[in-house]
């Protein structure tokens, strides 16, 4: 099950359509949907979690907590709507497009993709682009 929560923000999305798209990504990656919670929040909330759990005192757009076991994909994906909004302006893309990219990015981390090296970052960006082409919201 994919669940969406708002904390310190009021984001409205097409939950059914987003759930279907995200589940299609999981299926295409040969995994099984467990329990995934997307938490949309503001910078302050995400920064506090970043400091508390990851010991990083920096703003970020997404943090992923992975509870997956084998092929069963579960986790919490926290997304700062403030960062998404700012990044959409910086990169000159629509807010919804940037939100979709960040949502896919968090899910790809749960699916085993990383972005610590240049090679990993290139691979995860290519996967983001691939799955963004498949969405029509």
């Amino acid at each position: 099950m994919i669940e969406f929560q708002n904390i310190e923000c009021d984001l409205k999305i097409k939950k059914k359509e987003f759930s279907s798209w995200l589940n299609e990504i999981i299926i295409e990656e040969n995994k099984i949907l467990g329990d995934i919670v997307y938490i949309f929040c503001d910078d302050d909330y995400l920064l506090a979690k970043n400091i508390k759990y990851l010991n990083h005192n920096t703003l970020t757009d997404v943090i992923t907590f992975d509870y997956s076991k084998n092929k069963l994909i579960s986790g919490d994906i926290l997304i700062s709507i403030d960062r998404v909004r700012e990044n959409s302006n910086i990169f000159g893309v629509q807010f919804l497009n940037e939100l979709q990219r960040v949502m896919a990015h968090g899910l790809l981390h749960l699916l085993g993709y990383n972005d610590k090296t240049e090679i990993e970052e290139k691979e995860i960006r290519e996967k983001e682009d691939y799955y963004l082409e498949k969405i029509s919201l």
Side-chain angles (χ1 to χ4, degrees):
M1 177 175 80
I2 299 175
E3 182 181 337
F4 303 97
Q5 298 177 2
N6 288 331
I7 298 177
E8 305 297 331
C9 78
D10 188 29
L11 179 69
K12 294 187 181 10
I13 62 168
K14 298 176 181 178
K15 294 178 182 179
K16 185 176 180 181
E17 288 87 347
F18 271 90
S19 291
S20 294
W21 171 61
L22 295 164
N23 195 42
E24 286 174 21
I25 295 172
I26 293 167
I27 291 168
E28 188 158 334
E29 293 290 326
N30 296 311
K31 305 289 183 177
I32 300 165
L33 175 62
D35 293 315
I36 297 174
V37 179
Y38 277 88
I39 300 169
F40 303 112
C41 56
D42 65 6
D43 273 346
D44 292 337
Y45 183 86
L46 194 58
L47 179 60
K49 299 301 179 195
N50 208 8
I51 292 168
K52 181 176 181 178
Y53 294 107
L54 302 176
N55 202 25
H56 297 158
N57 191 3
T58 57
L59 294 175
T60 187
D61 52 4
V62 61
I63 297 174
T64 304
F65 296 97
D66 189 356
Y67 313 126
S68 301
K69 292 183 180 171
N70 301 318
K71 288 188 161 228
L72 188 66
I73 303 304
S74 297
D76 295 332
I77 300 171
L78 287 68
I79 296 175
S80 169
I81 297 308
D82 296 333
R83 288 298 95 219
V84 171
R85 188 167 285 112
E86 185 170 312
N87 288 341
S88 70
N89 290 329
I90 290 169
F91 300 123
V93 298
Q94 295 290 323
F95 171 81
L96 182 60
N97 293 52
E98 184 64 15
L99 177 63
Q100 292 164 338
R101 177 173 298 282
V102 173
M103 291 176 74
H105 185 90
L107 180 57
L108 288 167
H109 278 303
L110 293 182
L111 292 165
Y113 294 91
N114 292 308
D115 53 10
K116 301 290 184 207
T117 68
E118 285 184 30
I119 292 171
E120 289 174 340
E121 188 171 338
K122 183 179 185 292
E123 182 180 28
I124 201 168
R125 294 287 177 235
E126 288 172 355
K127 282 287 185 177
E128 289 170 16
D129 291 341
Y130 174 77
Y131 288 118
L132 286 171
E133 288 179 14
K134 295 183 143 234
I135 192 169
S136 59
L137 297 178

